[in-house]
Amino acid sequence: LALKSKALVRQVIGIDRDISTLEQALQLGVIDVACNDLKDAMVDADLVLLAAPVAQTESILRSIYPYLSQRTIVTDVGSTKCDVIAAAKRALNDKIAQFVPAHPIAGRAVHGPQAALATLFSGKYVVVTPLAENSSGAINYVANLWRQCEATVQVLEPLHHDRIFASVSHLPHLLAYAMVNHITDHADAFDYFKYAASGFRDFTRIASSSPEMWRDIALANSDALLEELNAYQGQLRQIIEALQQRHGDRLLSLFSKAQTARQDWLLTHQRVDNDGESV
Amino acid sequence: LALKSKALVRQVIGIDRDISTLEQALQLGVIDVACNDLKDAMVDADLVLLAAPVAQTESILRSIYPYLSQRTIVTDVGSTKCDVIAAAKRALNDKIAQFVPAHPIAGRAVHGPQAALATLFSGKYVVVTPLAENSSGAINYVANLWRQCEATVQVLEPLHHDRIFASVSHLPHLLAYAMVNHITDHADAFDYFKYAASGFRDFTRIASSSPEMWRDIALANSDALLEELNAYQGQLRQIIEALQQRHGDRLLSLFSKAQTARQDWLLTHQRVDNDGESV
């Protein structure tokens, strides 16, 4: 939609497992053509953009392999990169040089064609984790498309990517799901939900994300994520110990450290509005 | 500010430990008069509204006690109620009937006079936890003032209040502080913060809250909060075990349960905009 809004694509062909999703995308102008025949869709394609839960990468790439001509570049938007690359190598084999792995750092808790925004990537990072097999032409082609969407392209090693996102993205998603389940499991959960307010709303916003997508991400990045969960439990134990000992100074120091670090993060990395909250 | 905007108060006298805060409040029209003499401020007061970190309740109420005339009602906005009531009983002694404990369920991560909004309480709950000693006149007086601010008044037992808010408010604040500290404690934290995006931003928004205020709340409600932290750790262990066993169905079921419960909560308890996200 971002490329279409800038008239940088001739024709967008949509393929989906769900026919009603395709119809909706067509109505909304997110795609120009709905297609259920991979062979037809692949003819003369400049680019294949794979956007599906990461565990489906291998089977989807296997299904396009027979129709993948030399002139077509394949990229993805998966939140994990090591497993996606391993799957791509198995599926694309001798055509692996045509696959340029990427991850736009932008998303919404709502999903589906009606959640598409042409401006979603503006001012956001897109991480590209190139393969040794990729030509610089292929890498630049994908990077430039993202730049046209007003994103800033960054290059990372796949393993470094996966560790960073296990920490800043995958971990909070799991913690938010756990928080909602924690409230739900109270005997009188309705009373609890009744008084949940804006703090709870923001904290759990990412718990509205697709369970299927996040199951796949969690499994794909389980090693890094288990390390992060372990370290996070250590942070919780520090707070619990300070609370058990009624150690006010220790609590104040832990909370102040976090508040200061977050304010620094807002100033350094996020656009900030007049309220001091990022927009 | 809400009552002033409706012309329901003649004069608001502000008292604060910080003179620059008072000056700011005066400039912004949040208060009409800045005062540093409690005795003067208390003469002919209809209402004293105590808004300070909860651990200061006892000393503040002790300091106003000598000047508290029979016609003045005292209320508070503290996030915990059992400890506030205990402090009030110690400090106000024979005048305890004049103290009506309350807790507006509305707030912002930003604070200070510049963060004041006349509309903050509109459509929000205010929990009143009356004392056996309160006259119905005193209770109704406080409840009606909140209703004039367009809030919905609810009555709860203090202990029930503290358990509910330990779960839906105090716990997520501690978890958010822990999340920011978890990122900060990485050796290459800058790289991690660089890629933290909107999910992290919303999840940690409450970690921008006042460390002093939250130290006091955590200590004041430590018994209920430690129970909640313990139960939350149990939720985390369920996710960790499913991840260790690479049990996709179990992860999907945990995430789906949370997503469904959150969607139900949005529909039942929150105003929802066109994106399906509450406003």
Side-chain angles (χ1 to χ4, degrees):
Chain A
L1 198 59
L3 293 174
K4 274 166 77 73
S5 76
K6 292 176 190 290
L8 288 165
V9 281
R10 275 193 304 260
Q11 190 183 50
V12 177
I13 302 176
I15 298 190
D16 200 275
R17 61 184 170 183
D18 183 345
I19 188 78
S20 71
T21 302
L22 277 181
E23 281 167 3
Q24 220 179 349
L26 203 56
Q27 275 171 7
L28 293 165
V30 176
I31 60 174
D32 301 305
V33 180
C35 186
N36 59 12
D37 187 297
L38 262 178
K39 188 178 176 183
D40 284 357
M42 296 293 293
V43 175
D44 289 331
D46 297 304
L47 181 76
V48 174
L49 178 67
L50 176 57
V54 288
Q56 296 173 40
T57 305
E58 183 168 348
S59 67
I60 294 172
L61 290 180
R62 273 192 199 286
S63 68
I64 70 165
Y65 175 86
Y67 316 117
L68 184 60
S69 82
Q70 278 197 325
R71 65 179 297 273
T72 306
I73 300 294
V74 183
T75 188
D76 79 314
V77 297
S79 296
T80 54
K81 293 274 73 78
C82 290
D83 73 304
V84 161
I85 291 169
K89 287 188 171 170
R90 289 191 298 270
L92 295 182
N93 210 328
D94 56 306
K95 299 179 183 174
I96 188 65
Q98 291 168 250
F99 178 71
V100 181
H103 176 205
I105 314 308
R108 307 183 71 192
V110 286
H111 49 94
Q114 74 287 352
L117 293 176
T119 55
L120 183 65
F121 307 108
S122 179
K124 303 290 167 60
Y125 286 123
V126 173
V127 177
V128 178
T129 61
L131 309 179
E133 294 87 346
N134 292 148
S135 69
S136 59
I139 298 167
N140 287 336
Y141 177 72
V142 170
N144 279 328
L145 284 174
W146 283 115
R147 290 190 190 107
Q148 307 274 19
C149 301
E150 300 176 17
T152 300
V153 173
Q154 302 278 308
V155 172
L156 286 177
E157 290 292 320
L159 193 61
H160 194 200
H161 168 280
D162 284 3
R163 283 197 178 135
I164 288 174
F165 288 93
S167 193
V168 301
S169 170
H170 311 169
L171 175 64
H173 275 81
L174 267 54
L175 299 180
Y177 283 134
M179 179 71 210
V180 178
N181 286 343
H182 168 66
I183 303 295
T184 308
D185 286 353
H186 281 90
D188 45 350
F190 187 87
D191 279 352
Y192 283 71
F193 278 118
K194 174 178 174 181
Y195 290 108
S198 60
F200 177 84
R201 180 196 65 205
D202 293 343
F203 184 88
T204 62
R205 194 184 301 274
I206 48 182
S208 286
S209 306
S210 158
E212 182 190 11
M213 177 176 150
W214 284 96
R215 174 201 60 194
D216 283 7
I217 291 171
L219 289 174
N221 206 17
S222 59
D223 288 350
L225 196 41
L226 283 166
E227 271 184 48
E228 295 296 320
L229 278 159
N230 188 46
Y232 183 79
Q233 287 178 305
Q235 296 285 347
L236 278 193
R237 280 192 298 273
Q238 285 186 51
I239 291 178
I240 289 169
E241 275 176 35
L243 206 50
Q244 283 169 334
Q245 297 161 11
R246 306 191 55 76
H247 200 318
D249 288 348
R250 182 91 190 105
L251 286 174
L252 185 64
S253 138
L254 288 168
F255 298 171
S256 297
K257 175 180 162 184
Q259 192 216 26
T260 304
R262 188 172 190 276
Q263 296 315 110
D264 289 349
W265 172 73
L266 285 174
L267 289 171
T268 312
H269 295 294
Q270 295 269 306
R271 286 185 301 146
V272 171
D273 70 14
N274 291 331
D275 291 335
E277 264 302 328
S278 67
V279 292
Chain B
L1 199 58
L3 291 174
K4 273 166 77 74
S5 77
K6 292 177 189 291
L8 289 164
V9 281
R10 274 192 306 257
Q11 189 183 49
V12 177
I13 302 175
I15 298 191
D16 199 273
R17 61 184 171 184
D18 183 346
I19 189 78
S20 71
T21 301
L22 277 182
E23 282 167 3
Q24 221 179 350
L26 203 56
Q27 274 171 8
L28 292 164
V30 176
I31 59 174
D32 301 306
V33 180
C35 187
N36 58 12
D37 187 297
L38 262 177
K39 189 178 174 183
D40 283 357
M42 295 293 294
V43 174
D44 289 332
D46 298 305
L47 181 76
V48 174
L49 177 67
L50 176 57
V54 288
Q56 296 174 41
T57 305
E58 184 168 349
S59 66
I60 294 173
L61 291 180
R62 274 193 198 285
S63 68
I64 70 166
Y65 174 86
Y67 317 116
L68 184 61
S69 82
Q70 278 197 326
R71 65 180 297 272
T72 306
I73 301 294
V74 183
T75 187
D76 79 315
V77 297
S79 296
T80 54
K81 293 275 73 78
C82 290
D83 72 304
V84 162
I85 290 169
K89 287 187 171 171
R90 288 191 299 269
L92 295 182
N93 210 327
D94 56 305
K95 300 179 183 174
I96 187 66
Q98 290 168 250
F99 178 70
V100 181
H103 176 206
I105 315 307
R108 306 183 72 192
V110 285
H111 49 95
Q114 74 287 354
L117 293 176
T119 55
L120 183 65
F121 308 107
S122 179
K124 304 289 167 61
Y125 286 122
V126 172
V127 177
V128 177
T129 60
L131 309 179
E133 293 87 346
N134 292 146
S135 68
S136 59
I139 298 167
N140 287 335
Y141 178 72
V142 170
N144 280 328
L145 283 174
W146 283 114
R147 289 190 190 105
Q148 307 275 17
C149 301
E150 300 176 15
T152 301
V153 174
Q154 303 278 309
V155 172
L156 286 178
E157 289 292 320
L159 192 63
H160 194 201
H161 168 281
D162 284 3
R163 283 198 177 134
I164 288 174
F165 288 93
S167 193
V168 301
S169 170
H170 310 169
L171 175 64
H173 275 81
L174 267 53
L175 300 179
Y177 284 134
M179 179 69 211
V180 178
N181 286 343
H182 169 66
I183 303 296
T184 308
D185 286 354
H186 281 90
D188 44 351
F190 188 87
D191 280 352
Y192 284 71
F193 277 118
K194 174 177 174 179
Y195 291 108
S198 60
F200 177 85
R201 181 195 62 205
D202 293 342
F203 184 88
T204 62
R205 195 183 301 275
I206 48 182
S208 286
S209 305
S210 159
E212 182 190 10
M213 177 176 151
W214 284 95
R215 173 202 61 192
D216 283 6
I217 291 171
L219 289 174
N221 205 16
S222 60
D223 289 349
L225 196 40
L226 283 166
E227 270 184 48
E228 296 297 319
L229 278 159
N230 187 46
Y232 183 78
Q233 286 177 306
Q235 295 286 346
L236 278 193
R237 280 192 297 273
Q238 285 187 49
I239 291 179
I240 289 170
E241 274 176 33
L243 206 49
Q244 283 168 335
Q245 298 162 11
R246 305 190 56 75
H247 200 317
D249 288 349
R250 182 91 189 105
L251 285 174
L252 184 64
S253 135
L254 288 168
F255 298 170
S256 297
K257 175 180 163 184
Q259 193 216 24
T260 304
R262 187 171 191 277
Q263 296 315 109
D264 288 348
W265 172 72
L266 285 175
L267 289 171
T268 311
H269 295 294
Q270 294 271 305
R271 286 185 301 145
V272 172
D273 70 14
N274 290 330
D275 292 334
E277 265 302 326
S278 67
V279 292

